[in-house]
Amino acid sequence: MDSTDNDASSAVLSVTGIGKTYAEPVLSDIALTLRAGEVLALTGENGAGKSTLSKIIGGLVAPTAGTMRLGGAPYAPPSRTEAEALGVRMVMQELNLLPTLSVAENLFLNRLPKRGGLSFGWIDRRRLRDDAREAMAQVGLDTIDPDTLVGELGIGHQQMVEIARNLIGDCRVLILDEPTAMLTAREVDLLFEQIDRLKARGVALVYISHRLEELARIAGRIAVLRDGKLVHVDAMANLTSDQIVTLMVGREIGERIDLGERRIGAPLLKIDGLGRGQAVRDVSFEVRAGEIFGVSGLIGAGRTELMRLIYGADPKDRGTVSLAASPGTTPVPVQVASPADAVRQGIALITEDRKGEGLLLTQPVAANISLGNIGRVARHGIIDTARENALAKQQIDAMRIRTSGPAQPVGELSGGNQQKVVIGRWLARDCKVLLFDEPTRGIDVGAKFDIYALMGALAREGRALVVVSSDLRELMLICDRIGVMSAGRMTGIFERDAWSQDALLAAAFAGYRSREAMLATHESHAAGELS
C-alpha cells in the first residue's frame, strides 16, 4: 500500500478515501495501494485504526466513506465469506476456531470432502486427514494429530491452525493481525518461512504488529496510522525504529523510563515452597512494598502457573502464601484457596488473556470496572447505575482510557485501553498486591509506556507488583529485581545493579540443562544395569 503510488493498475488492492465513523470518526480519508508479492507493515498505536481498516478490507466492517478495488475491479464485500471467496483472507487476533471440533474439521469446515465427491453424504475422513496434514505441515504442525480437538491445543498452536486455515485455497491478499503475539520463536520462524513462500507466489500481505524488529525483518514498506489518519508511507529500510515510534505516537519516546522516587519498604508478599506437580516446583521469593518484581523465563517455564497458584486459580500441592497485615509487619500465612479468597486478602491478577478471562467484551466499560467492586456500586443487592457510572468515570479519568464513555462496550476499545479497564477495576478496589501476567502483550509502544508509568505510580503508593513478561528488555526497563523461572523452578533472583541479559538468559535455560543432565545420568545407570 502506498499513498504516493498512483499506478493503481499494478495494484492487487487499492483503497481510496476510506473512512469509518462510529460515535466519532475512527478512520479518515485513507488512500493506499497494495502490490502483488509484497509485505506491507501496517502499524500505529492501539486505537489508531489498524484493525478497523483491516476489517473493512476483509469484509467484516462496511466503510462509511470511500471505495476499494481488487485486481482493478470494484470491491465491496458484504461479508467475510464473500471476501474470502474473492481471495482476501484475514487472520485476526481473536481466533475464529471451534474448540469442540478437530483441527482437520476446523481447517476444512466449509469444504469438508465427501465420499465419491458428492455434495451430500458421509465425510471422507481419510481424505480430510490427508488434506489437513498437508495444510498443517506448511506451518510446522506436523507432529499434531489432525483429529485432536482444537480446544485441547495451547493458544500458540491454535494461532498456527488459524493461519493454516487461511492459507488453504486461492489467496490473493492475506492480512495478518498480530500473528506472533502468542507464538514461540520456532513458530515465528516457520510463519516467516511461509510468508516468503506466499510472496514468491505473488500473494500480497498486510502485516500488523507492534514488534518493530519483526517488521524490519519481513516488510518491504511500512504505513503508519495515527488517530485514524495515514501519516507516513515509506520503504522499511528508510526508517529507524525510533523514527517509526515517533511517527506512531507523535512524540519521541526514549529507552529509559522514570518511574519516580519510590521508597521500597519491608516485605509485603512472601511465597514459600509453592508448588503444583511438575509445573511449579518449590518456588520461594518475597516482594517488598513499593517494589516491582519481574518474573522471566521461557514459554512453559511455569510463570503463568505460578501466578495462578498465588491467586488461588489453581490448587497448590504445597507451600504457603503470606501477606503483611500492615506496612512494616511480618508477613503471615493466609488462606488463598480461590480467586475470591485472593481478592478478599487484597491480591489481584491481571491475566494474560484479558479477552477470554479478564473482560466481558459485549458489556459496557462501567459494568467491567464494577465487576470487582459490587459492594461499592450496589444498593440492597441491586446495581445502582449512577454509582456504577461514577466509579467508571473516576477510573476512565485516572487511567486515561480512550472511550466515548462508561456505556461504550469494552470490546470496541483498543487492546491498550481494554488492559487499562482491567487494571482500573482492581485499582478501584485498592488491592495491595498486583500480579501482572504479560500486561503489555498486543499493546503498542505508546500504550506500553502508559502502563509502565501506571506501574510506577502504584509502586509509589506502597503496593507490591509482580510482573510476568516474555520481553526481557521490558523487565530490565521497569523492574527492581527479576526472578527467573526454568522448568518449574525459580533458578535465580537478580538485583537491578547485578543483572545482565546473558545472566538472565543463562538462568532461564539452567533448569532444562540440569533436567537433561539428570535424565542422561539415569539413562547411563540404566544402560549399566542392563549390561
Side-chain angles (χ1 to χ4, degrees), residues 131-367:
D131 291 347
R133 288 191 184 98
E134 182 179 343
M136 293 162 70
Q138 294 187 49
V139 293
L141 295 178
D142 316 58
T143 60
I144 293 177
D145 186 339
D147 288 331
T148 304
L149 296 181
V150 161
E152 296 176 0
L153 300 179
I155 195 72
H157 281 148
Q158 289 186 27
Q159 180 80 46
M160 297 306 285
V161 171
E162 175 77 351
I163 292 169
R165 188 187 74 83
N166 282 279
L167 297 181
I168 296 169
D170 179 37
C171 181
R172 303 166 71 185
V173 176
L174 179 62
I175 304 168
L176 298 170
D177 191 355
E178 294 287 354
T180 65
M182 295 172 285
L183 303 185
T184 65
R186 173 59 181 152
E187 289 167 338
V188 171
D189 289 339
L190 289 170
L191 173 61
F192 287 176
E193 289 173 11
Q194 184 60 30
I195 286 175
D196 286 338
R197 296 190 192 102
L198 292 170
K199 288 168 60 181
R201 280 168 40 189
V203 176
L205 295 103
V206 178
Y207 192 96
I208 302 172
S209 179
H210 298 123
R211 300 182 177 184
L212 301 185
E213 70 279 5
E214 289 184 1
L215 302 185
R217 181 175 168 186
I218 65 163
R221 292 186 296 156
I222 184 169
V224 183
L225 292 173
R226 186 171 72 236
D227 296 329
K229 297 180 176 63
L230 184 67
V231 295
H232 197 78
V233 181
D234 206 342
M236 195 74 209
N238 292 342
L239 295 173
T240 66
S241 294
D242 288 344
Q243 289 172 326
I244 293 170
V245 170
T246 300
L247 287 167
M248 288 168 57
V249 302
R251 63 187 188 279
E252 292 188 7
I253 294 180
E255 278 301 307
R256 298 188 62 85
I257 183 169
D258 182 9
L259 296 180
E261 184 177 350
R262 288 177 289 131
R263 293 183 178 179
I264 296 178
L268 187 57
L269 169 70
K270 185 177 181 182
I271 305 301
D272 188 18
L274 200 61
R276 182 169 190 254
Q278 296 298 306
V280 178
R281 300 189 288 166
D282 304 317
V283 171
S284 300
F285 66 96
E286 62 184 28
V287 187
R288 297 164 289 185
E291 181 180 27
I292 302 177
F293 184 90
V295 179
S296 180
L298 306 176
I299 291 176
R303 300 167 303 168
T304 292
E305 291 81 358
L306 174 61
M307 296 302 103
R308 289 177 62 86
L309 288 185
I310 297 172
Y311 190 60
D314 293 329
K316 64 181 185 295
D317 296 337
R318 55 202 178 273
T320 58
V321 175
S322 299
L323 292 170
S326 58
T329 61
T330 301
V332 296
V334 294
Q335 177 71 12
V336 184
S338 68
D341 286 344
V343 173
R344 278 193 293 270
Q345 297 289 354
I347 303 174
L349 171 64
I350 291 85
T351 175
E352 66 173 337
D353 184 7
R354 61 177 174 267
K355 293 188 176 182
E357 299 178 352
L359 294 167
L360 301 175
L361 296 176
T362 60
Q363 296 300 306
V365 172

Side-chain angles (χ1 to χ4, degrees), residues 484-486 489 491-492 494 502-513:
V484 183
M485 293 288 290
S486 182
R489 298 188 185 278
T491 53
F494 297 81
D502 288 344
L504 292 167
L505 289 172
F509 283 100
Y512 299 97
R513 288 173 181 151

